[in-house]
Amino acid sequence: MIPSAFDYARPSTVQEAVRILSEAGEDAKVLAGGQSLIPVLRLRLAAPSLLVDLGGIAELRGVSESGDELVIGAMTRHADILRDPLVARYAPLLAQATATVADRQVRHLGTIGGSLSHADPAGDLPSVSLALDAVMTIAGPAGERSVPASEFFVDYLTTAMQPGEVLVAVRVPKREGWGTHYEKFNRVAQAWALVGVAAAVRRENGSIAEARVALTNMGTTPLRATAVEQALAGALASADAIASAAASAAEGTSPSSDVSASAEYRTHLAKVLTRRAVAAAGGIDAA
Amino acid sequence: MPRISLTVDGVRYDDDVEPRTLLVHHLRERLGKVGTVVGCDTSNCGACTVLMSGEAVKSCTVLAVQADGADITTVEGLAGPDGKLHPVQQAFHDRHALQCGFCTPGMIMAAVDLLAENPDPTDEEIREGLEGNLCRCTGYQNIVRAVRDAAAAMRSAAAPQESVPIGGGA
Amino acid sequence: MTVTDERPAAEVGAARRRKEDARLITGRTMWTENVALPGMLHLAILRSPMAHARLVRVDTAPALREPGVVAAFSGRDLPAMGLPCAWPVTEDMVHPDHPALAVDEVRHVGEPVAVVVARDRASAVDALAAVDVEYEPLPVVTDMEQALADGAPLVHRDKGTNKSYTWVFDSAAAGTGGSTEEAFANAPVVLRRRYVQQRLIPSFMEPRSVVADPTGDQYTVWSATQIPHILRFLLSVVTGTPEHKVRVVAPDVGGGFGGKLQVTPEEVIAFAVAQKLGKPVKYTETRSDSLLSAHHGRDQIQDIELAADRDGKVLGLRVKLLANMGAYLGLVTPGVPLLGAFMYNAIYKFPAYRFECTGVFTNTTITDAYRGAGRPEATYAIERIMDELAAELGLDPVEVRRRNWIGHDEFPFTTVAGLTYDSGNYEAATEKALSLFGYDALREEQKRRRESRDRVQLGIGVSTYTEMCGLAPSRVLGSLRYGAGGWETASVRMLPTGKVEVVTGTSPHGQSHETAWSQIVADQLGVAFEDVEVLHGDTRTSHKGLDTYGSRSLAVGGIALVNACQKVIEKAKPVAAHLLECDVNDLEFRGGAFRVRGTPTEEPGKTLADCALAVFAAHDLPDGVEPSLDADATFDPENFSFPHGTHLCAVEVDTETGRVSIRSYVAVDDVGRVVNPLIVEGQVHGGVVQGIAQALFEEAVYDADGNLLTGTFVDYTLPSAADLPDVVSDRTETPAPGHPLGTKGVGEAGTIASTPAVVNAVVDALRPYGVNDIRMPCTPERVWRALQGGAS
């Protein structure tokens, strides 16, 4: 189908984008890679009056280092993330999850900022940003502000960004020496995750020193599996310890029941997949 | 209406487009490039796949205005100027990798893109590399075979001429 | 003279690369959506968001004020045009009116309510929002059993019932076997199961599209249809336009699988609007329109009972079926279950059989033919319950089948359902499949995994199927009250340069007729494969035919083609005799040339091309000889075609998540003699995968309000390459004795065979856990629930 008519702006700076969005009000939408937005427009589930295309803003693309952080421009494409040496070194979890996003065509256009701003709880990158303790840099009429991932995802398809604001960059603390894994479970390869688990594990000697675990599609926002993380901290790096920690993966979650899966099954999957993800991240055979 | 400039299969086009025009509709309805087709409205089927600046994209999920300045290759632009089929096209023909042929333009373009990145994929890598393209006729098996064959053909075409081994002869 | 060539055929049997590909791989294909005519207008259709409602008001006037809009119509503005159902299966079948554009009431979500005509597609779509419709909601029923319950909401209030028909076959009454009551009364083993054939959506890749072009009192209709000839006939009937004024063209058509075996509301609306405005119009559906409103398939509840003795010998079978018609009856909707009625007995010999089917109306999209149409459903149920019998008796599933199947020396064999199977060799196909599969080794591995309580369990499924295809003997269709015949037709035109044009009444949409027909003609006439052009799908060139479905094109159309070729040779004979100055009776036709019998083949003789040129000039023909070699043949089969085979599937089931992965799949099919092995293998691959998709992936789901929850490819999950295994495909070859080429149909075989093979494997993996059924599709969640002992 054909989207409803809209006006189109293609600013070349963030300031210009913010200005246009502020003037347009709530009826404007930001166009990043378009891979989520354009299907929504085609099905006429949304009919914005103005699309502000960030594709012309060069400064939003690319990955760089800044002290102990990686700074990933919001318009950095999934395909770029997959090839980026800094991501591979300091945030391999992001690359692992990005490799599972949709398909190669979509990854050629879709962007990290678009995925996070869309805030679909079934999306793979929101939970990863949680697990990595990412911080969002947001530009708005009053300048830039930082919002941690834990406060960025507010509700279903809703972020802490206000109208007129634009996601500029995702800042990810550099981590080396962590094992990471993204475990995704879907009905068919190109489907959204029924449940996904992002895990990062730092081992010390025979123990798990720290773990970060976040869940995809277990509520209206991505969720940290705090109980699992706590149980893993200092635990023996063993299959039993991981299994026991993973048993609390669904604590505090509120998964939906829909045509793809029931809440009960999602709850079950969260536990199984958490065990598998943590074990894989920690390099532990969890058979 | 914004004016955009596209190079499609080697020909440059300058057109005014409504912002809501999808790239695939621009190609089909304005430029007459009807070799690229529309199979769905949710970016699942991949029938509309074209190369944009050398990379496969789903042209039903790109606005024409987003493609401004891009170099687009469609299935119509793959064959050589003498009509010689691209190795992927040839392999699809040889391996009976199409039946109704509706998914074929997109499938071929996705395969071309996959092989550009990975010239020697395993069957599993081919299957995963084509996950964004649906086919309802072939069961995909002959498509996988075709992509494998095309990969081999392209590798051998790209390889430097081997010298005759010692003891060998013509 | 001899017209049959004893020499081994050069083309038939060769893995010829397809002629069709040249345009399909270069983007030079002619899809209906590519048709663009001067002044062409575009249609957009407003579809009901309500599953059942009275139309209080449909006001299209506001849409006329929108930019670019030329016209807009509701059902009241267009002439009454009821969509046809060609298969009134019983005399008393309830057959409701089915307007192309709703008039008073809508009965399923997606039903067309209004049509907007505009200068461009975007304007037409935009203006839909301006059409003012007031719906008065009516009660909705989507579940078949609820629909049949007392006091259920009525889909058609004027009919007083949601039951369309009940159709019964009983072997005792038909004289084809005994009474099931007796068989069951004395049986030591009786199994009862309920199987559910979920609703599927055919999901051809090319969305349907139609262009209607009025020129004077003539109409040309391009449509993405499987049935240009039937469409022409029925458009004429439905719209009251004389048939000779209607031309239908099915250009390149992107798949159908039965889904384009329909006369659609959109075709009729486009025709009527073109007629009313005197301008060409086009309508192309979106994928979401298509999933919502193009007809669906399957959707049956099968209560099946099997009686057997303790040795596993089947004594009788009873089947009680509920078949969801949807809200109306499509072209062959009521007949689909009947095509299965004769297949529940499958390849087995047993004495008593009873089948009863009730067609039920619900507030859902209509169902109709989908690849296999009735036969996959039947095969699924019998093959599933044969596994249950094996489990009940502690026998190997293959052994149970062996004890019941028809031996290769028993053909022709008349079954308890009254069909006469002409040929088959179930032993050979099964042996080959078992050996390719490595059956014994897999059973060993299964045992080990069971014993070690492996998290991943192995399951093995078998399906020994046959099917009736090659639709169909006209007399049989008549006895089943189908509205048309089952013959097929072909014409062969000899051009003066010796090239050949073949016109076929079949209408391919992926089946490769241009290639396969060329191979057949090349052998028959002794001409080069490249010198044959196959024309199809345009009623101006192919005025007659019954189109493509039911694996009929080669099985029926192939014979018409051979017969037409033989007639050409007959017609050329006096011409050749005249050129060779010999007696007609001294001629033989061999390798494309006529020679005096006994002449060495090095002698050039007179080729058909020589004869074609001679009749073109017509300067020197014998008296009374028609100056033409062209010939037509129409063939009506006396029997169906009965391909068969054995499919084996091994699955791995993750008992923690319930995920099923196919580990290996072997298909050994006997489709008789093969014209082109490349094409046959392609049909098997595709068919098997569609059956796997039913077993594991696909389901159309409605909520209680009649909303389709799987209305895009996001939710209606077609498998991609990444979700599927390689299939090991092989063949045995038992030629069809009644067919001059010995061929049988192949289009549906894979789909019919594979669904039960996969589900049998999944259930087999889980039997140690007390599981004896899982509803399709066997999603991870359903498998997991079955393992929890809950409802699957």
Side-chain angles (χ1 to χ4, degrees), chain B residues 18 20 25 28-29 32 34-35 37-42 44-45 47 75-76 79 85 89-90 92-96 98-105 108 123 126-128 130-142 144-145 148, chain C residues 17-18 21 24-28 31 33-34 121-122 126 201-207 253-255 257 286-288 370-371 509-510 512 678-679 681-683 685-686 689-690 693 698 712-714 716 718-722 724-727:
Chain B
E18 242 197 303
R20 63 165 157 172
H25 288 145
R28 289 181 54 84
E29 288 161 23
V34 293
V37 297
V38 184
C40 77
D41 39 21
T42 49
N44 287 89
C45 82
V75 73
E76 296 174 57
L85 294 176
Q89 290 173 309
Q90 184 64 47
F92 267 60
H93 176 55
D94 290 341
R95 281 296 197 170
H96 186 35
L98 60 149
Q99 290 176 29
C100 84
F102 195 79
C103 76
T104 307
I108 286 177
D123 280 10
I126 295 170
R127 285 183 176 278
E128 281 176 10
L130 298 177
E131 69 188 336
N133 293 75
L134 297 173
C135 168
R136 194 60 158 168
C137 293
T138 64
Y140 303 104
Q141 191 160 334
N142 286 344
V144 175
R145 289 172 173 170
R148 200 168 56 200
Chain C
R17 307 297 185 267
R18 298 198 317 165
D21 293 354
L24 297 170
I25 58 178
T26 54
R28 301 303 302 163
W31 312 112
E33 163 63 8
N34 296 359
R121 195 185 328 228
D126 289 345
I201 307 181
S203 307
F204 35 77
M205 290 315 299
E206 180 209 15
V253 175
F257 315 107
T286 65
R287 178 57 60 182
S288 33
Y370 172 53
R371 202 168 191 172
H509 38 283
S512 323
L678 209 58
I679 295 169
E681 193 188 35
Q683 289 291 320
H685 288 168
V689 160
Q690 261 179 33
E698 295 177 21
T712 71
F713 277 162
V714 174
Y716 191 80
L718 298 188
S720 74
L724 293 161
D726 266 358
V727 171

Side-chain angles (χ1 to χ4, degrees), chain A residues 49-109:
Chain A
S49 59
L50 171 69
L51 280 198
V52 181
D53 182 357
L54 304 185
I57 308 178
E59 63 190 282
L60 292 180
R61 293 186 189 277
V63 182
S64 59
E65 288 178 272
S66 171
D68 51 7
E69 285 181 335
L70 288 188
V71 181
I72 304 171
M75 288 295 287
T76 307
R77 305 174 313 153
H78 302 312
D80 299 327
I81 299 274
L82 290 176
R83 292 178 204 131
D84 191 90
L86 292 171
V87 170
R89 177 163 176 196
Y90 296 115
L93 178 60
L94 177 60
Q96 288 156 1
T98 299
T100 74
V101 170
D103 52 60
R104 57 189 298 110
Q105 291 99 314
V106 169
R107 293 193 292 268
H108 283 143
L109 290 172

